[in-house]
Structure formats: C-alpha cells, structure tokens
Amino acid sequence: MPNKYGIMIMKCCASCGHKCLDDFGNRRCMLTGRPTRGCSVCNGWEICSQLATLGVERGKVQCREYQLTLMEVRTSELRAKAMGKEMTPASVESIRRDFEMKHGSRIAIK
C-alpha cells in the first residue's frame, strides 16, 4: 500500500506502529503482547510513523566537499587535544560560514 507521499509500504508486522523490539531484538506486538514474525499482519495494523513520513521532502543533502571540510576541522581539533593543547572546538555555524564564504553553498540537493 502507498503512504501519503506515494512510497509503497508492505503491510506487515515489520511496518506496523504497534511493533516493539525487546532487549534481544525479538519483535512483539504492543496490542497483544505476543511475539510476532516480521512478515505476519493482523487486523490492528497501523503504519509506523517513520514509514508514514517516508518521502516527505524536508531534508537537504550537503555537498561532499563540505562534509570533508567538517571532518578535517574536527580531526585537527582532536589531534590538538591529544597533544595536550587547550582549545575550544569551532562551532558548526562558524565552519559553515567559513566554507560558504570560500566555496559558495554547502547544499548539493534541496
């Protein structure tokens, strides 16, 4: 069945909002309290919230160059800290601002 954004969702226990996993990764139904299999489905099935919103275009993809720049900054900060230097980590906002001043937008896909 499709969710409201047109993404096809398989109607089964694995996609149900009433499933829960115990500490051992075993699936249980929160309605009945009984163990279930991922491929089974019951009359109480409701789509889980994560799959209901799958396809909503809220996110943005950052370009790889920005991701590498951010990793480089954080790595150099960790190296400096390991060498015993006192330093305050750069804020994400300042790293973003510096990158955008040098390279333009950090967003690859909107």
Side-chain angles (χ1 to χ4, degrees), residues 12-98:
C12 62
C13 181
S15 63
C16 182
H18 299 297
K19 77 169 180 293
C20 68
L21 299 175
D22 65 16
D23 294 338
F24 303 104
N26 300 317
R27 187 179 284 111
R28 290 191 169 277
C29 178
M30 290 190 296
L31 294 176
T32 65
R34 289 190 264 156
T36 61
R37 297 183 65 190
C39 58
S40 62
V41 65
C42 70
N43 292 336
W45 184 89
E46 290 182 17
I47 191 167
C48 70
S49 61
Q50 295 91 343
L51 293 176
T53 59
L54 188 65
V56 66
E57 297 178 19
R58 288 191 291 211
K60 297 177 182 171
V61 177
Q62 298 182 36
C63 70
R64 184 67 176 150
E65 190 174 0
Y66 171 71
Q67 293 171 341
L68 293 172
T69 300
L70 184 58
M71 289 183 349
E72 185 180 312
V73 168
R74 295 300 185 222
T75 302
S76 65
E77 291 172 349
L78 288 173
R79 254 190 237 121
K81 187 176 181 180
M83 293 171 41
K85 295 181 182 175
E86 285 278 328
M87 66 177 307
T88 303
S91 69
V92 174
E93 292 80 17
S94 69
I95 296 170
R96 285 178 183 167
R97 189 172 44 252
D98 292 346

Side-chain angles (χ1 to χ4, degrees), residues 4-5 9 11 16 19-20 28 36 58-59 100-101 105:
K4 65 181 180 180
Y5 301 102
I9 306 296
K11 191 174 179 179
C16 182
K19 77 169 180 293
C20 68
R28 290 191 169 277
T36 61
R58 288 191 291 211
E100 289 178 343
M101 285 175 58
S105 177

